[in-house]
Amino acid sequence: MCRVVDLQQAVLARNDESAHTLRTTLAARGTTVVNLLSSPGSGKTALLEHELRLARERSLPVAALTADLATENDAVRLARSGVPVKQVLTDGLCHLEATMLARHLEGWLPDPTRLLFVENVGNLVCPASYDLGETLRVVLASVTEGEDKPLKYPTAFGLAHLVVVTKTDIADAAGFDEAAFRANVRQVNPGVEVLLTSVRTGNGLGRLLDRALTAAEHGPGHRPVMARQPHLHSHSHDPQPHDHPHDHERTSVPARP
């Protein structure tokens, strides 16, 4: 077991070095990374599309990179906003890593880009342990996922600079207990801000973009109490070290509408 943990620590240490380099490189060109994490179906693509559209209306230079296991659906949707979008197809890989992000940005990221939104693979386990060189880490959860989500995924929520609740227009129908959710968030990440949003009603739209701009100017504004611990990145279904091969990645850039 110690050998497995040591290898995981080495993998994450290499990623941390790459993330630091990427963060420094992007900061030098005036680009801030916003890393979006959530379970599949949380509504983060719909919310991000609206935030990107708003950024374009404000003449803010933004771009988005979205990762998916098998389809280009999210990139096609995001491209409707009219901002530069790139799709990364991971072919089953459950997360992005800093070196992967850097490779896909090389020669593509428009200059200048003030904010780069990275829509991570829909997963609250694997991506939580990997720093992508982001300044702002956002974890999203829909009202249909249950109030105990933060307790089930303490690493993801515990390392967030911002928590966003989506689909609040159906909160009553879903029986969502906002107070219980907030209490569970506080238990794993005291002091983190929780935003309530609904793409259908417009509630909270634009606040994610505002927080991203604030982070670009002044930093994330919230320092999670939890420290990132490599040994938390483990999979009960795989007793071997979690060190995926990455030679099967594919990328594509959807045509602008």
Side-chain angles (χ1 to χ4, degrees):
M1 179 60 68
C2 291
R3 184 185 66 82
V4 173
V5 171
D6 288 345
L7 179 55
Q8 290 172 348
Q9 291 175 339
V11 168
L12 290 175
R14 290 198 302 270
N15 182 81
D16 286 347
E17 293 176 2
S18 299
H20 175 73
T21 299
L22 180 59
R23 184 180 291 107
T24 301
T25 300
L26 291 177
R29 57 177 287 174
T31 300
T32 297
V33 177
V34 179
N35 185 10
L36 305 177
L37 295 82
S38 79
S39 299
S42 68
K44 68 177 178 295
T45 304
L47 177 61
L48 181 55
E49 180 184 350
H50 281 74
E51 301 298 298
L52 295 178
R53 196 183 302 275
L54 179 59
R56 188 184 183 195
E57 293 173 358
R58 294 183 183 178
S59 299
L60 293 171
V62 303
L65 181 146
T66 180
D68 195 74
L69 299 180
T71 75
E72 300 180 13
N73 295 349
D74 291 346
V76 171
R77 292 174 60 187
L78 294 179
R80 296 185 305 203
S81 67
V83 309
V85 175
K86 186 174 186 179
Q87 177 81 60
V88 175
L89 299 178
T90 67
D91 288 342
L93 189 64
C94 65
H95 63 277
L96 289 175
E97 297 178 10
T99 54
M100 297 161 56
L101 180 60
R103 183 166 64 251
H104 293 307
L105 295 180
E106 187 174 357
W108 170 76
L109 186 65
D111 191 11
T113 296
R114 187 74 181 96
L115 298 173
L116 171 64
F117 289 90
V118 177
E119 184 180 18
N120 220 312
V121 179
N123 187 331
L124 283 177
V125 180
C126 307
S129 296
Y130 287 87
D131 183 357
L132 298 184
E134 71 265 20
T135 295
L136 187 68
R137 175 176 288 212
V138 183
V139 175
L140 303 91
S142 71
V143 298
T144 61
E145 296 178 61
E147 297 82 3
D148 60 347
K149 203 78 171 183
L151 303 182
K152 289 183 175 180
Y153 300 92
T155 304
F157 283 87
L159 294 174
H161 300 114
L162 177 68
V163 174
V164 175
V165 179
T166 61
K167 306 182 183 181
T168 57
D169 54 290
I170 59 172
D172 289 342
F176 179 68
D177 187 335
E178 180 185 338
F181 180 84
R182 288 181 179 274
N184 291 334
V185 170
R186 286 195 300 271
Q187 184 172 331
V188 299
N189 194 346
V192 69
E193 183 179 9
V194 178
L195 296 182
L196 303 181
T197 66
S198 168
V199 170
R200 286 187 174 181
T201 67
N203 178 44
L205 296 188
R207 296 177 68 187
L208 173 58
L209 180 61
D210 291 341
R211 297 302 185 275
L213 288 171
T214 299
E217 293 292 334
H218 307 291
H222 171 69
R223 185 178 297 276
V225 175
M226 178 183 290
R228 223 159 37 81
Q229 302 177 36
H231 70 271
L232 291 176
H233 184 68
S234 60
H235 290 215
S236 60
H237 62 264
D238 183 0
Q240 299 302 315
H242 191 65
D243 192 5
H244 296 291
H246 300 145
D247 58 349
H248 56 287
E249 296 168 49
R250 295 179 286 131
T251 65
S252 60
V253 182
R256 288 286 190 86

